[in-house]
Amino acid sequence: MTESFDYIIVGAGSAGCVLANRLSEDGRHSVLLLEAGGKDSNPLIKVPMVSGLIYFWKSINWNYATTPQPHLEGRAINWPRGKVLGGSSSINGMMYMRGHRADYDGWGNRGLPGWSYADILPYFRRSEGHLERSADAYHGTGGPLAVIKAKGENPLYGEFLKAGIGEGFVANDDFNGPDQEGLGLYDFNIRNGRRESTATAFLRPARGRANLTVWTRALATKIVLENGRATGLELSRDGQAMSVSAKREVILSGGAINSPQLLQLSGIGDPAALKHVGIEPRVDNPEVGRNLQDHLGVYLKYRCKEPITLYSMFRPDRAALAGLQALLFGKGPATSIPLEAGGFLKTRPELDIPDIHITFVPGLNLETTRAGQGQHGYLINFYQLRPESRGEVRIASADPTQPPTIDPNYLDASADRRCMRDGVRLAQRIGANPVLARHDAGAISPLAADLADDDAIDAWVRAGANTIFHPVGTCRMGGDERSVVDAELKVRGVMGLRVVDASVMPTLIGGNTSAPTMMIAEKAADMILGRQPLPRETRIPA
């Protein structure tokens, strides 16, 4: 039996939950939201402090991995992506970051009208419900998505910021305001001490609407194409095959891996690659799955002289008590995520805008602790903001339950290797500043030999660099005919089909990707419903 809806949304993640809310809010259209994972009922999802743990919680995760990376010593990198209501917004680090205005002006200059910074800023504001700032040209206070500013109570946060300013970098109180550059405390999506995901902010308030249907454990397996139009989907729900029809549109919001995979499974992609796995090509678009980009980062780790780091929380009784306080009362140390201070810096003074995002943690990462190096320590993490390297997502099988091949092609571009090298030197400089160095009981990594010269730094990066969990670009939006989607996010060559998620970003933005993905969905909802776009913001400098 085939059920029929006006709109079918594939994926209840950072974009899908926003779309489900906006497309159903006036009650005129029937909306079906599909999620391959389950409900977001795991209590650990709610506790900000344990976000580093649930990144890899298998029951709420797609558990992807890349191909062996030639520029990372042949290592295959684990790529967690949320498989649960809220998608990756239910497992991420909750940092509310929009990127640099130049990122979006760059989109506009690529033949994408309506996507420049002045155009998209009103959509950021529409989502934002900042609980501490006042409404202005840059911030909204009435949106559904709760945003708070970190308090930075651990004394080491202040020491890091003083050290950075002592090295000549400026202070910044608002990375989502007029200027991104500088060091300060971040904004986070946390409400009453608990995670604010798109499932809690956008989907939960809409669940009671009669015109919104939400199916979990529902894996879309194929887009049904008839006479050049997407008319519905084939799917597996709780293991049972079925189909649904779309009277208006099918909208893919599966993210940078799942959206191109579903297009390819449906015969939309590179004909040669599709034939190789036994799929009949229906729409010739070799760009599907290409243009993959991700942020790559490294960790500089130090021992700490004083017992003032998060290692004190590793005692089972303390961890359990903190978790219960957060869950029951929204209070205590587990209500914050331990990466509250950092910023956006230039590795070279001649650059126009920052090229790295640097973050301080008053503790050591989970991987270090698991390796038996648990102790009082702290780390400085950074990643390159705009890598030039490009990779690809390609289906490896016609079986929709099998993961695609994921090759981000990390550090293929020489400019990326230079940026990482310069970033290591910059981070090490802050770590060596006397304000922070007085807490240093000895470096864990890199050691002095790892910093000896360019070759040594490159080798250290290759051995330890890892994903920052920001894949984008595989269903590239563009004004050219080769792009996967156009400026209205319509899939070229197919009517009634759009992609609305991080995969449409033509270039990786300079910052975290969760909030920008929500912005894309906010803007797309107006496009889908035929509404006039929100007026451009005119109160900001040209």
Side-chain angles (χ1 to χ4, degrees), residues 22 96 98 104-105 114-129 136-144 176 202 515 518-524 526 532-540:
R22 298 307 190 191
Y96 181 77
R98 298 173 180 171
Y104 303 103
D105 288 340
W115 290 97
S116 66
Y117 184 66
D119 295 309
I120 57 91
L121 184 54
Y123 287 102
F124 277 116
R125 287 203 314 267
R126 184 162 81 178
S127 281
E128 184 182 15
D136 59 17
Y138 296 96
H139 291 287
T141 57
N176 298 307
F202 290 91
M518 298 178 210
M519 175 276 294
I520 289 170
E522 287 276 22
K523 185 171 175 62
D526 282 354
Q532 287 295 312
L534 295 179
R536 285 170 56 91
E537 179 53 65
T538 59
R539 293 173 290 173
I540 59 175

Side-chain angles (χ1 to χ4, degrees), residues 129-152:
H130 209 296
L131 302 177
E132 297 168 13
R133 299 189 189 275
S134 299
D136 59 17
Y138 296 96
H139 291 287
T141 57
L145 183 73
V147 182
I148 63 168
K149 186 175 178 62
K151 295 181 174 60

Side-chain angles (χ1 to χ4, degrees), residues 413-436:
S414 60
D416 298 352
R417 299 194 291 273
R418 175 181 179 174
C419 181
M420 295 299 287
R421 189 185 310 131
D422 292 344
V424 170
R425 291 195 175 101
L426 185 154
Q428 197 274 337
R429 202 175 95 213
I430 294 176
N433 181 275
V435 176
L436 192 55

Side-chain angles (χ1 to χ4, degrees), residues 9-21 33 253 500 521:
I9 305 165
V10 182
S14 295
C17 289
V18 175
L19 285 172
N21 182 306
L33 177 64
S253 295
V500 181

Side-chain angles (χ1 to χ4, degrees), residues 459-473:
W460 181 78
V461 169
R462 288 196 302 271
N466 216 320
T467 178
I468 306 295
F469 318 110
H470 297 160
V472 308

